[in-house]
Amino acid sequence: HSSRWRISFFLKLQCLRRSPSQKQMIGHGFNIALHPRLIEHAIRNDICLEVCPLSNFILAYTLDLRWHPVRYLISQGLQISISSDDPGFFNYAGVTLDFAYACIAWELSISDLKQLSLNGIRFSTLTEELRDLHFQKFHNDWNEFIKVFIKD
């Protein structure tokens, strides 16, 4: 959770020190929305921004999730993934609650939810082999989930 006075330096370092072969992700880059050049750089270089909606709300980075800058960042084309932050401290597990609140507050479509989920796998630190297994499992589970909605 970078404060405003450190955000520019922090994000620049994270954007610039990664090698092109690495999956690139910026964790807790909440204030990247204040830096248009960094947004452009992240989009151009396929860098993903990891966001933790409930943590941002609980820690008062945003007083209302509907005003969270991520909706704007998605509309600009920035890759986003949703994560939980210190779920043990906040007394919940997984990312379901983060996704539920984000879905409602940010008016996410089913396509948005799928992309956010896929980004979580794509930009993870898993080995390529494990990443492929998780993609396969996700697609199988996603197809089963969608079948529920398209039954006659």
Side-chain angles (χ1 to χ4, degrees):
H1 302 285
S2 298
S3 62
R4 287 181 187 228
W5 63 271
R6 291 186 304 165
I7 192 70
S8 180
F9 177 73
F10 173 76
L11 289 175
K12 284 178 185 174
L13 276 179
Q14 284 211 11
C15 286
L16 299 176
R17 70 177 162 177
R18 308 279 173 112
S19 73
S21 63
Q22 288 179 301
K23 297 291 181 198
Q24 299 179 21
M25 181 178 285
I26 298 171
H28 303 294
F30 181 86
N31 287 325
I32 194 174
L34 302 173
H35 303 276
R37 287 188 179 151
L38 287 176
I39 294 170
E40 291 170 15
H41 177 83
I43 292 168
R44 221 179 15 258
N45 292 284
D46 201 28
I47 298 170
C48 183
L49 178 69
E50 173 193 50
V51 296
C52 306
L54 290 181
S55 173
N56 292 157
F57 178 70
I58 292 167
L59 297 174
Y61 284 95
T62 183
L63 300 177
D64 187 327
L65 282 176
R66 294 172 295 176
W67 301 336
H68 194 288
V70 80
R71 193 70 200 143
Y72 165 74
L73 297 170
I74 290 171
S75 74
Q76 295 303 300
L78 186 61
Q79 297 295 333
I80 303 288
S81 73
I82 292 180
S83 296
S84 60
D85 184 33
D86 301 321
F89 181 77
F90 295 133
N91 200 24
Y92 71 97
V95 294
T96 302
L97 202 53
D98 287 274
F99 267 89
Y101 275 83
C103 182
I104 294 166
W106 303 337
E107 300 175 345
L108 298 174
S109 69
I110 194 81
S111 298
D112 293 329
L113 292 172
K114 183 177 183 182
Q115 187 61 54
L116 290 166
S117 299
L118 288 171
N119 284 347
I121 299 168
R122 180 175 167 224
F123 292 95
S124 71
T125 58
L126 296 171
T127 64
E128 191 172 336
E129 182 181 346
L130 281 175
R131 191 177 296 120
D132 290 344
L133 287 173
H134 281 276
F135 274 129
Q136 183 178 10
K137 180 170 177 16
F138 176 85
H139 287 299
N140 291 339
D141 291 349
W142 183 264
N143 291 336
E144 290 301 313
F145 171 72
I146 293 300
K147 283 180 187 176
V148 171
F149 296 101
I150 58 173
K151 283 185 178 178
D152 292 337

